[in-house]
Amino acid sequence: MIFTVRWLLVVNSILWITAGAWGAESPWEPDANRPTVNYPRLDRGTEAWVLVPLLCPEIPEDLLLGLGAEINLMQEAQTDAGKYQSKMGAAVAKFRKGSQYWHHDRPQAVRLIRQAAAAGLPPAQMVMGLTYQHGFVGAPDAAEGMRWLQLAAEQDYAPAQLLMASALTDAKVKPEGMRETPEMLVWCQKSAAQGYAPAQYVMGLTCYYYMDVQAHHWFQLAAAQGLGKAKEFLRRMYLEGEGAELGASEDRAKALLNRANLYRLDGKTQLALADFEQVIGLAGAGNPQLALALAYRGAYLNGRQEFAVAIPDLTHAAELSGVPTSTRAMVLINRAIAYERLNEPTKAVADYSRVLQLPRLGNTDSIAALQYRGTIYLRYQPQNPALAAADFEHIINHPRVTPAQTVEALIGRGVARAMQNEHAPALADFQQALDTAGITEQQRAIVWQNRAGVYLMQRDSIRMSLDLKRVLASTEALPETRQRAEKLLAALPEELRLPPAELVERARKSGSPQELARALLLRGHQYRLNNDLAGAQADFDELIKLGGADDNVMADALINRGVIRNNRRELSAAIDDYTRALQIPKLPDSTRAIILINRGHVYHAQGNYSQTMTDFEQALAIPGLPSNQQAVILAKRGALYGDQRYAGHDFAKSMAEFTAAAGLPGLTDADWALILSCRATVYYLKGEPAQAEQDARRILALANIPPANRTQAEQIIKLVTSNTSPATAPPAN
């Protein structure tokens, strides 16, 4: 049976949203991706989810949240140290003595404070964390700074908990590659719950940005402790001084906007709209305030599906001069949404492109514009998957992208690649999405749906049916995702719609070797997915012994049995399976490459390095090999050239292979982890421990890496720090 497929981008609802009505009928939900939520902020334009470090006089001014005049962490640490006097008197004494040297003998101060920190004194651990993060002595070391901060935070030291939250979100102080996670809010909430006023203030800012009614609660708690910034924020929110005299019209407009935002937080839609209307009708209101009021009203109309009515408001706002970038981005994104829903994609793309050309554009807005524009390139005629893939790639490589945004972009790029018949890269994108930490079950169903489409294009009906069944088994799949899966599954032959166990029994009764082979392969795959390797191998064994199985089914069974045997360290048997598979005529190039790579790995485990290199060279010579497979081969060849047990070892060639691997396009975190893991091992064997440790720490900073690579990196760091002989370095995974 031959199937045709018309690509439909199946993504999370985030790609379908409009501005969203913010009344009781359809509230705006707190979502970091939503382009229309851009509250006026009092924190010098910091991005959503960014908590800048508070608050040491030596931290650069541009990192302060505006609390530097009110809080001095060194002074706080010295005061707090007294709370530990009864249990840790010696450590407290060293910390206080070190603090006395802080301004005139910094190395001596750090030496004493480190001793106190090593003894477990939380204030000293916090100071050490800041010292490493900001390079108060020597070069900054973000990872070591995080380690000390975490030690203090885990002892419930509130200032350190807030700094942990800050470090988890600030690219200037966190380890390279770390991305935002809900862990940031967890630490901040722990600190605020202990009554730490700066953390309460930051919780207020975060809740205010995300329209959480708890904002007022946190600001009040911080203000009650005398924190001036919290009092100022409350005043400007119109929560204090209700009857205060207002000055110029521009001041009144600002106050009205702040009150409107408060009403929105409380779900008082009509009162908020009334304040926005006052700002729009207020003579003398500044352009920034007028643009913001028009943008909010336009967004509200978008949420009510009144797109044609929203466009004049948004166009008026777009034409005003002197408007901040964040407001202008909000206006253009909302107008683009309206244009798209009115079936004018060309105008929508033009507005998203204008957003991306704005100076000092915020991360949230740039990612939203790329995501929406990429989606339009896929949905509307003439489709342009190449431009879509480029937009999604920009998101994936963005330094401030969240895991949720990464998953959406990987799905989009996978679809774009599939539309260009780049099947292997598309499957790699879908797999990376599935491996991303924090992926939701709803998103998994979307990935399975799209991956089934690639298998359909490859005429791999077995894997296609497995993915479609996964969608239907998911309790979180969107209705439209489930409907598409049901439709595709219904078009498959009956044998692929049955449960694998029932299919095997039916095939046995039919007496057809071909039918039984297909059924056994399908059930064997299901066993493997359920980690029942014994059941899987039994089915593959029976299939291979059958006569009459077609070549593709036989190759699939041999490859999978080879993988199982390799995992069990039955190396010779695994090589036999891969060799038999290579002897099957007319294998697709992609399948042949996989077999050669797998067999090369097994030869390496056997110590047969020359045959390993031969297999890798043959695989690399296959035309059209995807980047991820090229990266694996080059990284493994680099590791082999750097291994002195290999007769042809050559460190220069080793480094050249790693450089070639790193230059490949579209590499995933898992690809980078493999390259860095192999190179770190070679550096260590070469006697360059500093370079080895640097690569190992880069691995740990990646978001989505296999456990084996993480273990490898931790082992290398341990070996370097313990000055262990290079001869004991672990082999690259």
Side-chain angles (χ1 to χ4, degrees), residues 68 74 154 222 279 512:
M74 179 59 79
E154 287 175 348
V279 174
S512 167

PDB file of all heavy atoms in Angstrom, residues 68 74 154 222 279 512:
ATOM      1  N   GLY A  68      20.918  47.784  45.733  1.00  0.00           N
ATOM      2  CA  GLY A  68      22.271  47.871  46.256  1.00  0.00           C
ATOM      3  C   GLY A  68      22.410  48.843  47.414  1.00  0.00           C
ATOM      4  O   GLY A  68      23.196  48.630  48.331  1.00  0.00           O
ATOM      5  N   MET A  74      27.852  41.305  52.334  1.00  0.00           N
ATOM      6  CA  MET A  74      28.966  41.042  53.238  1.00  0.00           C
ATOM      7  C   MET A  74      28.593  41.407  54.668  1.00  0.00           C
ATOM      8  O   MET A  74      28.867  40.665  55.623  1.00  0.00           O
ATOM      9  CB  MET A  74      30.206  41.824  52.786  1.00  0.00           C
ATOM     10  CG  MET A  74      31.407  41.635  53.696  1.00  0.00           C
ATOM     11  SD  MET A  74      31.924  39.900  53.833  1.00  0.00           S
ATOM     12  CE  MET A  74      32.826  39.740  52.297  1.00  0.00           C
ATOM     13  N   GLU A 154      21.405  24.853  50.627  1.00  0.00           N
ATOM     14  CA  GLU A 154      20.841  23.593  51.115  1.00  0.00           C
ATOM     15  C   GLU A 154      20.806  23.524  52.638  1.00  0.00           C
ATOM     16  O   GLU A 154      20.168  22.642  53.205  1.00  0.00           O
ATOM     17  CB  GLU A 154      21.636  22.418  50.543  1.00  0.00           C
ATOM     18  CG  GLU A 154      21.361  22.199  49.058  1.00  0.00           C
ATOM     19  CD  GLU A 154      22.229  21.125  48.439  1.00  0.00           C
ATOM     20  OE1 GLU A 154      23.210  20.708  49.104  1.00  0.00           O
ATOM     21  OE2 GLU A 154      21.940  20.712  47.290  1.00  0.00           O
ATOM     22  N   ALA A 222       7.541  42.382  51.949  1.00  0.00           N
ATOM     23  CA  ALA A 222       8.847  43.037  51.864  1.00  0.00           C
ATOM     24  C   ALA A 222       8.770  44.472  52.375  1.00  0.00           C
ATOM     25  O   ALA A 222       9.664  44.939  53.085  1.00  0.00           O
ATOM     26  CB  ALA A 222       9.347  43.007  50.421  1.00  0.00           C
ATOM     27  N   VAL A 279      -6.403  56.380  29.547  1.00  0.00           N
ATOM     28  CA  VAL A 279      -5.071  56.730  29.056  1.00  0.00           C
ATOM     29  C   VAL A 279      -5.137  57.128  27.583  1.00  0.00           C
ATOM     30  O   VAL A 279      -4.539  58.128  27.165  1.00  0.00           O
ATOM     31  CB  VAL A 279      -4.098  55.552  29.244  1.00  0.00           C
ATOM     32  CG1 VAL A 279      -2.742  55.856  28.591  1.00  0.00           C
ATOM     33  CG2 VAL A 279      -3.900  55.250  30.722  1.00  0.00           C
ATOM     34  N   SER A 512       1.960 -18.136   6.878  1.00  0.00           N
ATOM     35  CA  SER A 512       2.792 -17.332   5.974  1.00  0.00           C
ATOM     36  C   SER A 512       4.071 -16.907   6.693  1.00  0.00           C
ATOM     37  O   SER A 512       4.005 -16.163   7.685  1.00  0.00           O
ATOM     38  CB  SER A 512       2.026 -16.088   5.515  1.00  0.00           C
ATOM     39  OG  SER A 512       2.899 -15.168   4.888  1.00  0.00           O
TER      40      SER A 512
END
